[in-house]
Structures are given as structure tokens and as C-alpha cells.
């Protein structure tokens, strides 16, 4: 978008400089006009009338710089983002300025929503001396819910208590770079499956890799309360979590990968950090 603005301004400046040169010489411009069935002929343009012509040219190009905004204003005219009163209330508890309408710069996020059938599960006997399967799934479920809640509410200090430092630094940096003052709303995160895939000992702890199948309602809201991307209905996805369990059976999150080994911190939309 910025490139379009720069291009229009540059074009105007170049054409105006040409107008100034012509006026200084006391002359006009000649241009070749070709019409079907006729040979080209030179037509003189008066230098005084040229700025007006250039103005109309630039004004004619400006709408192309706002195609996304114009398209969104037409398709979302008088259309609310959601009719779910609980979702509206939840979002307003996160951002009291939530307006329940689409931003003029709304764009579908490029985050892949892929739900993968559960992989072959690691036998519980392979890690039963470390932790019981039911307890492992329970700890993972609790962490999953806490992580989604803290992410939505921007409670990064709380996240530091159960996320390993490298992942914590990456996630907080990603949120600030992409969302800025905006919000990434996660509503009703629901686990469908937690499948242990591997278990490896590392010093005095064990690393578990788990397949997480879940669904959530996820959308981004600007600080002014406009929906920047996302949908108001549940979407399913698969992630691969690596968690650490120490000798005291305390659990921490080490890594998150999406299907095809894409990190969770991917580019949702170049428009998310905007205001309106």
C-alpha cells in the first residue's frame, strides 16, 4: 500500500517538474495521439492546462490504492462480525472498544488450518515410569488452556512461568512485531486429542513430543475494536507440542510446531498491526 502512495506522489512530482520546465521555456508540450484508422498526429498541449490534466490523472489513479478498503466496505456494509452475545462479551472483556464490525482493511490470515488424523501413539509402557498417561494428558490440557488464555489477554509475564525461555522470547517478540497494540482473540479452545509421540530423557527431565488436535475461534482485533482478520466460527488445527517434565513432575512448554513443521509464530497478515 505504501509503495502505491509513493508511486503516485513520485508520478505527480515528475510530471509537475516537467510542467515547470515547459513553462520556463514559454512553450507547451507535443504529444502523439493515435486513433484507430488514422495516422498518428502531434497535438500541442498548453502548459497552463497541463496541471489540471495531471490532477485528473492522479485522482483517477487514487481509487486503485484503496481497492481492498472499497471492496471491504461494500461486502461488509451493515454486517456484524458475530451474532453470538457470549463471544461479543468475551471480546469486550479483552478490548472494551470492540465494535463487532469488520475493519476496512480486513484480510484473511495466511495461517494454515490443517487438521491431521492422530499419528501412531507411543505405548504408555515406554514412559510409565516417568508419568501416568492420564496425568500426562491432564497436565497438557491444563497448559493448553492456560496458554491460550494468557496469549489472548497478553499476560506474557504469566507465560514466562511455564514456557522455556527460547520459545517465550520468540512468541513475545512475534506478538509485538505482528500484532502490536492489537489483540489475537482465542475463544473456546477445545482439545480433541492429545497423542504422545515420543519420550526422551534429557539430564534430570524428560521431553515429550505430543500431537495436539484442537479447534478454536480465532480472530484479530485492532486496538480501536475493529476485526482485522479471522473468523467467528470454530476451526480445527493440529500442532506438535514438546513439553518438559522434571523429576517433580512439573511441566513446561519447550516448543510448538504446526503441521508441515511450520512454527506457530507465522505471518498472520501484514495488516494486523494497523489501527482501523
Amino acid at each position: 500500500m505504501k509503495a502505491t502512495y509513493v508511486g503516485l506522489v513520485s508520478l505527480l512530482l515528475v510530471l509537475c517538474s516537467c510542467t515547470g520546465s515547459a513553462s520556463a521555456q514559454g512553450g507547451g508540450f507535443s504529444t502523439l495521439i493515435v486513433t484507430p484508422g488514422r495516422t498518428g498526429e502531434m497535438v500541442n498541449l498548453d502548459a497552463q492546462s497541463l496541471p489540471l490534466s495531471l490532477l485528473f490523472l492522479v485522482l483517477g489513479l487514487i481509487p486503485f490504492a484503496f481497492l481492498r478498503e472499497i471492496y471491504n466496505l461494500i461486502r461488509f456494509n451493515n454486517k456484524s462480525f458475530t451474532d453470538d452475545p457470549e463471544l461479543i462479551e468475551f471480546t469486550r472483556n479483552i478490548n472494551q472498544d470492540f465494535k463487532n464490525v469488520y475493519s476496512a482493511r480486513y484480510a484473511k490470515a495466511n495461517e494454515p488450518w490443517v487438521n491431521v488424523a492422530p499419528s501412531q501413539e507411543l505405548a504408555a509402557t515406554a514412559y510409565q515410569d516417568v508419568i501416568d498417561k492420564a496425568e500426562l494428558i491432564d497436565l497438557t490440557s491444563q497448559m493448553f488452556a492456560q496458554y491460550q488464555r494468557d496469549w489472548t489477554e497478553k499476560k506474557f509475564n504469566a507465560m514466562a512461568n511455564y514456557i522455556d525461555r527460547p520459545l517465550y522470547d520468540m512468541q513475545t517478540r512475534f506478538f509485538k512485531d505482528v500484532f502490536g497494540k492489537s489483540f489475537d482473540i482465542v475463544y473456546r479452545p477445545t482439545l480433541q486429542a492429545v497423542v504422545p509421540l515420543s519420550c526422551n530423557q534429557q539430564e534430570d527431565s524428560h521431553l515429550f513430543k505430543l500431537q495436539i488436535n484442537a479447534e478454536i475461534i480465532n480472530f484479530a482485533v485492532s486496538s480501536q475494536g475493529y476485526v482485522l482478520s479471522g473468523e467467528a466460527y470454530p476451526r480445527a488445527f493440529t500442532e506438535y507440542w514438546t513439553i518438559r517434565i522434571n523429576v517433580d513432575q512439573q511441566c513446561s512448554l519447550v516448543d510448538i510446531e504446526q503441521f508441515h513443521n511450520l512454527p506457530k509464530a507465522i505471518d498472520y497478515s501484514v495488516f494486523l498491526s494497523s489501527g482501523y
Side-chain angles (χ1 to χ4, degrees), residues 19 36 43 53 70 77 80 86 107 127 139 150 153 189 201 205 213 231 242 263 265:
T19 303
V43 177
S53 301
I70 295 172
N77 183 37
S80 299
E86 294 183 2
Y127 57 87
L139 286 174
D150 290 341
E153 298 177 0
Q201 186 171 359
S205 63
N213 280 20
E231 306 292 348
T242 300

Side-chain angles (χ1 to χ4, degrees), residues 79-85 87-88 91 98 100-102 219 227 232-233:
K79 181 180 179 180
S80 299
F81 175 68
T82 178
D83 296 325
D84 185 344
L87 176 55
I88 295 173
T91 308
F98 179 58
N100 194 31
V101 296
Y102 293 87
F219 54 96
V227 178
Y233 56 83

Side-chain angles (χ1 to χ4, degrees), residues 130-131 135-144 146 158-164 194 205-208 210 212 241-255:
V130 180
I131 189 172
E135 189 172 2
L136 173 63
I137 293 177
D138 183 60
L139 286 174
T140 304
S141 301
Q142 292 181 34
M143 180 179 293
F144 177 82
Q146 183 68 42
M159 292 170 66
N161 296 325
Y162 59 87
I163 298 181
D164 276 15
V194 178
S205 63
H206 286 78
L207 294 180
F208 285 82
L210 309 162
I212 304 292
W241 284 31
T242 300
I243 65 173
R244 186 192 311 278
I245 298 180
N246 61 20
V247 292
D248 298 323
Q249 292 197 339
Q250 293 178 328
C251 186
S252 61
L253 182 58
V254 177
D255 190 28

Side-chain angles (χ1 to χ4, degrees), residues 3 9 21-22 37 41 47 70 83 124 156 158 196 208 263 270-271:
V9 173
S21 299
E41 57 182 271
I70 295 172
D83 296 325
F156 298 112
F208 285 82
V270 296
F271 300 103

